[in-house]
Structures are given as structure tokens and as C-alpha cells.
Amino acid sequence: MTITFVSSPIALDRDADLPLLLEAARERGIDAEITIWDDPAVDWKAYDAVVVRSCWNYTTRRDEFLDWAGSVPRLHNSPEVLAWNTDKVYLRQIEAAGVPIIETRWNIADGEDIGDHAEWVVKPTVSAGSMDTARWESPADVYAHSAALVGAGRTSMTQPYVSSVDEEGETAMLFFGGEFSHAIRKGPILARGEGIRQDRDGRGENQVRTPTPAQHEVAAAALAAVDEVLGHPADLLYARVDLVTGADGSPLVIELELTEPYLFLVLADGGAGRLVDAVAARI
């Protein structure tokens, strides 16, 4: 049994999940290695499973990345899932399926209604690691940021800043092979007045968290919505559901990470082994 975890040059020294996955595979007698998604020398047919991990440079080359994904046999998650999940307009579809998300407006123009909020977050729908994402107090900054994204040929999304994040952080719930593995409290990364954020490394303070029953319920609904939207079981090898707490105390989905999420395996006792076992179960 031979598997590969697929990364990118910018992630090789930054993705702490990778060595843990290699170690877990070797403990189970599985041949495993790290490959780079755009390396033309790789023979993808040689692997029993190709697991997309930290392909963090795909955002400026999304079409090329999806073409690559479509050419790789035994890819996890599937090329269909990657194509759907790499543009955050998917939030519209899971909301339509009944999943609670943060109130979102798309491609707002100067003067359009952005709601009566103290702060907003503006970001592109195709991005990773909070690239080109900012927290604003001024509507003028909100409109200007959205206009800049749209002017560059990108789709913008504008959301109210959820104030609970400053104290509570986000809750990232990780699922491997459809089963809950672990959850992490992600610290806030958008400081007030900081402007556009460009640095993926600053993840804030992270720690293990026990999700509430309500968070489990919303996460399950979000994963079920993927099957509903695609029209068939997505058969997800891995998934990360990121949640925040709304003003009324209920969980809201901020993102559904099915492409290249950081898995926080350093904080998850046995987490790397659970993912490797889920891979092996598919071979």
C-alpha cells in the first residue's frame, strides 16, 4: 500500500501535519511520501491513494490546480469536491439547504446596504489563509475593499464581524472518513484596524476544544448539505467545519474546508493515525 500526501513548496516547512502523517503511516506499515501537486515528474498512477493536503499556492492558479486534480486517479477529496469548495460561493448553496451561515453579501458596490454593524469583514471568495481579508470599521473602507476585489476580476464577500470571535475564537471541527476526530479553538487573527491580512502563519492561539451538542448538530447539517448540493454522497476523506457563535448564542458556519485545511494534528492525540486509517479503509 503506497500513499502520498500532496503539498506545495510554500508549505513544506510550515505544515506541521505532514511529518505526523508520515509517521502514522509508517507505524502501520504503509509506504507514504510527500509530493508537490505541480511537479511534472510525479507519476500519480503509482499511488493507491493521493491525499490533497497543503496545496496552499493554488489560489492564484485555481484553474491549473483543478485541471491537475481532474487528471489524478484515486484523489481525495474528489476533483468534484475541490472544484465546488475552492470558491466560497458554495456558502450560498449550503445556506439554501438550511445550514446557518454568517449573513453574507456578494460583490457589494458603493452605497449598497451592508447592514447596521459596528464592523465588517471583506474577503475574496477564492483565497486561503485569510489572504486579502480585512476587518473594517468604516463603510467607506468596506466599499473600497470590495470594489478593489471586483475590479481585479474577483468575487467579494462582505460579512458583519462576529464579536464573539475576539474572546471565544472560532471552533474548527475535524472529520476523517465521516467520523468526528477532534475540535480546536482557533484564536482571532483579524485585529481591529489591522487592514488587509497577508500572513498565513499567524493563526492566533489554538487549543483543544470540546464542541457543544449544537455545534455538532450544525456541523452534521453542513456535511449533509454537501451531499444534497452535489446530488450524491461526497464521500469526504477529510473535512473541517469552522464555526463561530452568533449574537443569539447559536453556531454559524464561517467556512466548510474540504480542500486543503490545516488539521491541527499537533494538538490532536491520535489524529494523524485516524486520518491514515481512513485512507487505508478506502484502498
Side-chain angles (χ1 to χ4, degrees):
M1 188 182 297
T2 304
I3 63 179
T4 184
F5 300 103
V6 189
S7 186
S8 56
I10 65 171
L12 288 179
D13 296 329
R14 300 162 65 184
D15 184 359
D17 290 339
L18 293 177
L20 297 177
L21 290 168
L22 290 180
E23 180 182 4
R26 290 166 183 162
E27 287 175 351
R28 289 158 172 75
I30 299 171
D31 292 331
E33 59 188 38
I34 307 299
T35 46
I36 303 301
W37 72 269
D38 59 352
D39 182 351
V42 178
D43 178 10
W44 301 106
K45 297 181 179 64
Y47 299 102
D48 297 303
V50 178
V51 183
V52 176
R53 287 307 318 120
S54 42
C55 301
W56 294 339
N57 62 348
Y58 83 87
T59 56
T60 58
R61 303 161 59 192
R62 180 171 177 258
D63 289 345
E64 181 182 351
F65 175 70
L66 294 179
D67 285 345
W68 165 80
S71 73
V72 177
R74 299 177 290 279
L75 186 73
H76 307 280
N77 285 323
S78 72
E80 181 185 20
V81 168
L82 301 188
W84 178 75
N85 185 241
T86 48
D87 189 328
K88 293 181 182 65
V89 294
Y90 69 76
L91 288 170
R92 294 171 172 170
Q93 294 175 293
I94 67 170
E95 182 184 31
V99 177
I101 71 167
I102 299 175
E103 171 194 325
T104 306
R105 290 171 167 81
W106 312 87
N107 284 345
I108 60 152
D110 191 13
E112 285 188 34
D113 178 26
I114 55 174
D116 183 16
H117 306 291
E119 297 178 273
W120 297 263
V121 173
V122 181
K123 55 190 171 184
T125 62
V126 177
S127 70
S130 299
M131 288 290 286
D132 299 319
T133 297
R135 172 181 175 179
W136 300 113
E137 295 176 299
S138 164
D141 288 327
V142 171
Y143 294 131
H145 189 169
S146 177
L149 292 173
V150 174
R154 306 168 78 180
T155 300
S156 78
M157 52 192 295
T158 298
Q159 300 170 322
Y161 185 77
V162 178
S163 60
S164 66
V165 173
D166 286 335
E167 296 297 329
E168 182 182 318
E170 300 177 21
T171 299
M173 297 181 63
L174 284 301
F175 297 81
F176 301 148
E179 299 294 327
F180 174 70
S181 171
H182 58 281
I184 300 296
R185 184 257 191 201
K186 296 167 56 184
I189 59 175
L190 291 175
R192 179 176 294 175
E194 188 175 73
I196 294 181
R197 176 178 165 68
Q198 299 283 358
D199 177 12
R200 184 174 182 119
D201 284 335
R203 300 178 188 277
E205 181 183 351
N206 305 316
Q207 59 193 48
V208 175
R209 168 171 281 173
T210 300
T212 66
Q215 288 173 326
H216 272 289
E217 183 178 346
V218 171
L223 296 177
V226 181
D227 297 346
E228 179 179 333
V229 170
L230 296 182
H232 59 80
D235 195 25
L236 300 172
L237 173 64
Y238 55 86
R240 195 181 91 196
V241 184
D242 289 348
L243 303 169
V244 295
T245 301
D248 64 354
S250 63
L252 302 171
V253 172
I254 187 169
E255 285 193 55
L256 182 56
E257 297 263 17
L258 311 178
T259 302
E260 37 64 67
Y262 187 66
L263 303 176
F264 302 97
L265 297 180
V266 172
L267 298 174
D269 185 25
R274 288 190 288 275
L275 178 56
V276 171
D277 289 341
V279 176
R282 292 165 182 250
I283 298 175

